[in-house]
Amino acid sequence: MTDKEIKALVSLLDDEDAEVTTHVEEKIRSLGSSVIPFLETEWEESFSPVIQRKIEELIHDLQLRVMIERLQDWKNGGALDLLEGMWIVATYQYPELSLDKLRSDIEQLYYDIWLQVKEDMNPVDQIKMMNGIFYGNMNFGANTKSFHSASNSMINVVLESRRGNPITLCVIYMLIARKLGMPVHGVNLPNLFVLTYKQDKLQFYINVFNRGIIFSKTDIDHYIAQLNLKPKDSFYQPCSNLEIVQRVLRNLILSYEKAGEPEKIKEVESILKSIIDDLIED
């Protein structure tokens, strides 16, 4: 369609006939994400609050569709880049967010720690060294004041505020550790996300939410027993990037439940559903 034809469609968004406006909205949605810049211009030039509100809704719907398509492509491509998956999730609230900016931020954190790495360090000392910088100089820590805030699931916000929930802090910590060559992975514990350092026969765990405290398999045994749960392999072993992003989305749903935002709950549930295989997911 030409710009003139799209402009004519937009002008009908405040038509008194509901059938007309419904048809117009469906037509605009069918044009896809390429129409978003034009809609943004129309919003700026419009003097009608009704049209502006409907344009905002259309832009959001189109951006949501783009996000779901990106996430499905990421999953179907093997979910290889965890930072990319976290970036896609963050575009739910920050559609203009730059992946390159996130990469640059992580690269800078890595460089600041790399400067103090000694090659002959044993694994435990490596983690203790990283903890000293991550929680000290860099001032990362648990967001205990606003634990259920949706912002805790947005990696860009956590990188800026240096406060987050267990899983987002773990992701940032893990991305840095991996760049340093450490075999660090995420572990899906009930009600808590932690990391494991696993190489050959050596394995221990790291509670990033609690200032990087190192603990053992026996500690997990006690934790599971306290919850009256039966031990599962997934409580001890590394999980995939896809499972991490799925858990981030579940956390986001919980945040919106706590905040009483049913529309956002519904949207994030649809995002999560788009990257779950029913035959695999329990």
Side-chain angles (χ1 to χ4, degrees), residues 13-78:
L13 284 172
D14 63 349
D15 195 280
E16 293 180 359
D17 189 332
E19 286 189 17
V20 171
T21 56
T22 299
H23 175 74
V24 167
E25 288 169 11
E26 288 176 356
K27 183 64 178 176
I28 292 174
R29 285 191 185 94
S30 72
L31 298 174
S33 60
S34 61
V35 78
I36 291 176
F38 185 86
L39 290 176
E40 290 172 337
T41 301
E42 287 297 298
W43 184 92
E44 291 171 358
E45 295 177 355
S46 176
F47 293 100
S48 166
V50 174
I51 288 180
Q52 284 186 324
R53 178 177 55 81
K54 291 197 173 183
I55 287 175
E56 288 168 5
E57 291 171 356
L58 285 166
I59 290 174
H60 178 71
D61 290 349
L62 289 167
Q63 288 172 335
L64 182 61
R65 187 187 302 173
V66 168
M67 179 191 170
I68 289 174
E69 288 172 356
R70 277 178 179 161
L71 208 50
Q72 288 176 323
D73 288 344
W74 176 78
K75 171 183 175 287
N76 295 335

Side-chain angles (χ1 to χ4, degrees), residues 8-236:
L9 277 177
V10 171
S11 69
L12 293 172
L13 284 172
D14 63 349
D15 195 280
E16 293 180 359
D17 189 332
E19 286 189 17
V20 171
T21 56
T22 299
H23 175 74
V24 167
E25 288 169 11
E26 288 176 356
K27 183 64 178 176
I28 292 174
R29 285 191 185 94
S30 72
L31 298 174
S33 60
S34 61
V35 78
I36 291 176
F38 185 86
L39 290 176
E40 290 172 337
T41 301
E42 287 297 298
W43 184 92
E44 291 171 358
E45 295 177 355
S46 176
F47 293 100
S48 166
V50 174
I51 288 180
Q52 284 186 324
R53 178 177 55 81
K54 291 197 173 183
I55 287 175
E56 288 168 5
E57 291 171 356
L58 285 166
I59 290 174
H60 178 71
D61 290 349
L62 289 167
Q63 288 172 335
L64 182 61
R65 187 187 302 173
V66 168
M67 179 191 170
I68 289 174
E69 288 172 356
R70 277 178 179 161
L71 208 50
Q72 288 176 323
D73 288 344
W74 176 78
K75 171 183 175 287
N76 295 335
L80 301 177
D81 185 343
L82 178 56
L83 182 58
E84 182 182 359
M86 295 295 291
W87 163 69
I88 296 169
V89 171
T91 61
Y92 177 68
Q93 279 194 356
Y94 302 93
E96 304 302 320
L97 182 64
S98 164
L99 177 56
D100 287 340
K101 173 67 166 59
L102 292 181
R103 290 201 196 284
S104 176
D105 289 344
I106 295 292
E107 186 71 26
Q108 185 60 53
L109 294 173
Y110 151 73
Y111 181 73
D112 291 344
I113 292 180
W114 173 79
L115 288 172
Q116 300 189 50
V117 172
K118 296 176 182 176
E119 291 184 7
D120 58 349
M121 279 183 173
N122 66 50
V124 171
D125 287 340
Q126 281 183 327
I127 295 302
K128 287 181 178 178
M129 175 276 301
M130 183 159 169
N131 287 346
I133 303 170
F134 191 77
Y135 302 104
N137 299 0
M138 293 178 177
N139 196 32
F140 278 98
N143 188 347
T144 52
K145 290 184 179 179
S146 306
F147 183 80
H148 292 293
S149 170
S151 296
N152 287 327
S153 295
M154 304 292 156
I155 191 169
N156 57 312
V157 177
V158 178
L159 281 168
E160 185 175 342
S161 69
R162 304 296 168 102
R163 292 292 178 271
N165 60 17
I167 192 164
T168 311
L169 287 173
C170 275
V171 166
I172 294 169
Y173 190 107
M174 178 167 51
L175 288 170
I176 298 167
R178 285 181 178 175
K179 287 181 74 66
L180 290 165
M182 299 183 201
V184 173
H185 312 272
V187 178
N188 255 324
L189 276 176
N191 306 326
L192 181 64
F193 195 87
V194 298
L195 298 180
T196 182
Y197 189 111
K198 184 176 183 181
Q199 188 172 46
D200 301 325
K201 292 183 179 180
L202 174 67
Q203 184 173 19
F204 59 86
Y205 301 87
I206 309 156
N207 187 341
V208 177
F209 196 64
N210 192 4
R211 300 189 68 80
I213 287 176
I214 294 172
F215 60 105
S216 68
K217 179 182 180 297
T218 303
D219 294 313
I220 294 182
D221 292 337
H222 294 324
Y223 177 74
I224 298 303
Q226 286 176 345
L227 294 175
N228 294 318
L229 295 172
K230 290 182 179 180
K232 291 168 59 176
D233 195 48
S234 60
F235 297 161
Y236 303 90

